[in-house]
DNA sequence: TTGTCATGCTAAATCGATTTAGCAGAACGG
DNA sequence: CCGTTCTGCTAAATCGATTTAGCATGACAA
């Protein structure tokens, strides 16, 4: 029936008052506690296995050592885990626990989640989007620092992938491998709407910059209604089926690249050997494919970590994180 | 500078004591409060927008309306989101918030996570494993109801997929489609260790039962070192390359099935038409493949929901949830 | 001897709720 | 007219910490 020891228990056992225990254990300076008393308190705390009750602490101090993470799991949950992981890891290293909420696109679920978190007095809020886009958020509780990860919203500090650099690096990588005849599958106009994507425009700009710097133009550029394997496969069939087919394809993302793989298989072409493929995102899929898909990784985990750091320790209004190039073998020098 | 209204504010505004406010708002029966006073309290609470402070409530009542979710994100995070989603949805519907922790396989990270959660006085704990297996957990805090989802541990109540039924249903589905020459790729002995998998044995038993009931034997059964596309592809090459190749393949999971797809492509065979494939898990991958992969879905979301329900409302020691058959087109009647 | 100042500590208020015990007045019975 | 019971409400304790204000005691100077 032994309950958890309280500060009062420690005080009793050390022969001092609760006040003294609090002062000693919080290491307050300038408090004129004798070394002897301090020692007794520490010993008592140690032997009793005392640790302060978080709920009492929250009530008194108004802070909870907890941060809220709200995400929009709706459309795509595929990426969630890496971001959550980053959030949890960073939080743990800062001694914070994480309270999670997931919302769909109903504005009042956002509102409810955020009100609930601020009711519970979380120390900071991280809003995480699975797909980088611009959203409207309900007014944030004042006094709670809030960061949006993988998205933009009003004046909130943001953490985003550095898509311009990634687009540029991807194109440069293919060019440097020796390719001159390159097609781009998945340049979709509708993605340029910031509500649909906050970053794709930057990706395109980076790609365009690299191509321009090399004095090249894409042999073909296809729009796609969706960045999914089905439409991508069809587009790739026509691109790769033409007599003057490109030696490399830049795919808008991994699922598009997967469609390209399927089209190549249908046409009896071997990836890397007959046609190189370079892509974006680094989904699990990219690692399953043979040859493995070379792609620019969306740094979900890093973004989660950065979001937590920024929320606890505000400073930057925009943090752009590098997207590492993951080399797997789908890009090789052109034949001939 | 308006702070959130407290119970005392409501009391003042209604011209009653804090006690009365508490009694009225908690709807205590047998408390002899006049209808008039009750009404005044409710009106005041409403106009002030009062809601009780969760931290104060926790301190006083010892309950937090929060549940802890601890998962082992280590090896595979692919599935995490569906389970988390289930947990969050069920929790929300019960008015609970969720505090998350993720741990790797270090026993003391488990310990730390669990101590932290019980320090914070969560009302219940759900332990979620990404891959069904048997683990040792540190002793759980007494008085906190705990459930393990997708795993087994000591005497803890468990939520598991009903793998026996799924194995049986999978095999029956293929048999009922008319197949008689069926191979099984991925019958791995090492998976039978309960520490590696808590459920695969049941899956095999279900499959065996269905085969036996139909009076059939597998034409080939391959062990695999890993259930990954690479090894599976090789195994499938030899199975499908033989002159007396089977008309259907039962794959141990979707990644194995993907290896089979690749082998079929290499051999110029068309899935469904030339060889049917049936699988387990229903990863995102299963939906990308063409034709879509018919597979028995691991009900991660349902398991997450059930885990929460069981934790808040203990009753069963073992809950086996059905694995739905997801038909996508990779199984067709054999030709000829 | 008395006043002043450190020193070393503690009593009590506070955070915002719940809950126990009990007060004041009305109604009722004898 | 007095005692009992019921009605309608509240004061105060409590949960477990932090923090402010201040009480003893001893040392020292005048």
């Amino acid at each position: 029936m032994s309950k958890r020891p309280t500060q009062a228990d420690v005080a009793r056992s050390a022969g001092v008052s609760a006040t003294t225990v609090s002062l000693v254990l919080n290491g307050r300076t300038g408090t004129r506690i004798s070394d002897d008393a301090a020692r007794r308190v520490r010993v008592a705390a140690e032997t009793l296995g005392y640790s302060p009750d978080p709920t009492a602490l929250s009530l008194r101090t108004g802070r909870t050592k907890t941060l809220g993470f709200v995400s929009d799991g709706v459309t795509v949950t595929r990426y969630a885990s890496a971001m959550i992981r980053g959030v949890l890891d960073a939080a743990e290293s800062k001694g914070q626990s994480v309270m999670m909420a997931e919302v769909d696109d109903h504005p009042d679920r956002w509102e409810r989640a955020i009100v609930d978190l601020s009711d519970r007095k979380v120390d900071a809020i991280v809003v995480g989007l699975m797909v980088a886009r611009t959203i409207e958020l309900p007014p944030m509780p004042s006094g709670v620092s809030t960061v949006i990860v993988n998205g933009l919203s009003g004046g909130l500090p943001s953490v985003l992938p550095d898509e311009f650099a990634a687009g540029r690096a991807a194109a440069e990588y293919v060019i440097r491998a020796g390719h001159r005849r390159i097609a781009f599958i998945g340049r979709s106009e509708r993605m340029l709407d910031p509500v649909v994507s906050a970053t794709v425009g930057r990706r395109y700009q980076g790609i365009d910059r690299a191509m321009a710097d090399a004095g090249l133009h894409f042999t073909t550029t296809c729009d796609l209604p969706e960045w999914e394997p089905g439409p991508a496969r069809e587009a790739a069939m026509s691109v790769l089926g033409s007599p003057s087919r490109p030696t490399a394809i830049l795919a808008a993302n991994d699922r598009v690249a997967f469609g390209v793989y399927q089209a190549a298989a249908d046409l009896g072409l071997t990836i890397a050997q007959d046609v190189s493929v370079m892509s974006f995102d680094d989904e699990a899929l990219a690692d399953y494919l043979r040859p493995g898909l070379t792609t620019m990784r969306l740094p979900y985990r890093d973004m989660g970590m950065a979001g937590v750091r920024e929320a606890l320790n505000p400073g930057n209004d925009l943090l752009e994180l590098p997207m590492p190039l993951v080399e797997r073998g789908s890009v090789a020098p052109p034949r001939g």
Side-chain angles (χ1 to χ4, degrees), chain A:
Chain A
M1 195 59 261
S2 67
K3 282 179 47 231
R4 119 200 280 277
T6 70
Q7 194 176 73
D9 297 328
V10 175
R12 205 170 307 123
S13 147
V16 297
S17 71
T19 307
T20 305
V21 174
S22 173
L23 295 176
V24 169
L25 295 184
N26 290 308
R28 306 303 289 268
T29 60
T31 57
R32 307 192 306 244
I33 304 285
S34 66
D35 290 356
D36 182 54
R39 188 166 32 249
R40 278 180 359 250
V41 165
R42 268 186 276 268
V43 168
E46 180 71 24
T47 50
L48 292 180
Y50 168 77
S51 75
D53 180 331
T55 57
L57 227 96
S58 305
L59 177 58
R60 183 62 235 237
T61 64
R63 31 196 45 264
T64 48
K65 279 181 165 304
T66 295
L67 59 84
F69 176 62
V70 193
S71 73
D72 68 332
V74 172
T75 5
V76 191
T77 55
R78 251 187 307 272
Y79 306 119
S81 46
M83 191 152 110
I84 292 175
R85 170 82 68 111
V87 166
L88 291 175
D89 285 354
E92 190 188 336
S93 79
K94 303 260 184 185
Q96 300 273 125
S97 294
V98 175
M99 182 146 275
M100 278 214 27
E102 206 167 73
V103 301
D104 48 35
D105 259 344
H106 272 292
D108 66 273
R109 277 199 73 178
W110 280 103
E111 172 117 31
R112 276 214 309 282
I114 284 163
V115 165
D116 181 55
L117 289 175
S118 76
D119 264 12
R120 294 182 120 98
K121 305 223 170 36
V122 294
D123 296 344
I125 294 180
V126 174
V127 173
L129 303 185
M130 291 308 126
V131 169
R133 58 197 179 108
T134 303
I135 58 168
E136 293 263 359
L137 286 176
M140 288 293 155
S142 62
V144 180
S145 129
T146 306
V147 170
I148 177 165
V149 170
N150 202 32
L152 290 168
S153 181
L156 286 184
S158 278
V159 175
L160 287 173
D162 188 347
E163 292 268 14
F164 180 84
R168 190 171 185 177
E172 280 174 353
Y173 180 77
V174 171
I175 293 165
R176 211 169 306 136
H179 295 277
R180 293 293 171 270
R181 305 188 43 73
I182 308 173
F184 184 11
I185 298 188
R187 182 174 201 116
S188 303
E189 291 308 315
R190 70 172 206 93
M191 301 290 285
L192 289 173
D193 178 354
V195 171
V196 175
S197 168
T199 52
V200 162
R202 301 286 293 153
R203 185 181 288 184
Y204 294 163
Q205 286 168 21
I207 292 170
D208 291 345
R209 168 71 66 86
M211 292 293 282
D213 285 354
L216 295 177
H217 292 280
F218 287 117
T219 56
T220 322
T221 300
C222 323
D223 198 327
L224 286 179
E226 304 285 342
W227 286 1
E228 294 294 341
R233 179 186 204 162
E234 283 175 43
M237 286 297 276
S238 90
V239 169
L240 293 176
S242 93
S244 61
R245 70 176 149 82
T247 61
I249 289 182
L250 204 53
N253 76 358
D254 294 345
R255 298 198 294 290
V256 168
F258 186 38
V260 174
Y261 271 56
Q262 292 174 327
D266 290 349
L267 295 168
L269 298 174
T270 304
I271 299 295
Q273 209 175 309
D274 299 320
V275 57
S276 289
V277 180
M278 172 89 205
S279 169
F280 295 86
D281 287 5
D282 193 32
E283 286 189 52
L285 180 63
D287 199 30
Y288 291 160
L289 297 175
R290 288 296 166 262
L293 179 58
T294 294
T295 187
M296 305 300 298
R297 164 178 294 160
L298 277 174
Y300 282 99
R301 183 162 181 282
D302 295 344
M303 291 195 293
M305 297 186 68
V308 168
R309 280 196 304 269
E310 275 302 302
L312 293 177
N313 222 308
N316 313 71
D317 278 351
L318 173 62
L319 229 53
E320 287 191 301
L321 300 190
M323 295 176 60
L325 194 159
V326 181
E327 276 186 290
R328 287 214 183 78
S330 61
V331 176
R335 273 206 294 202

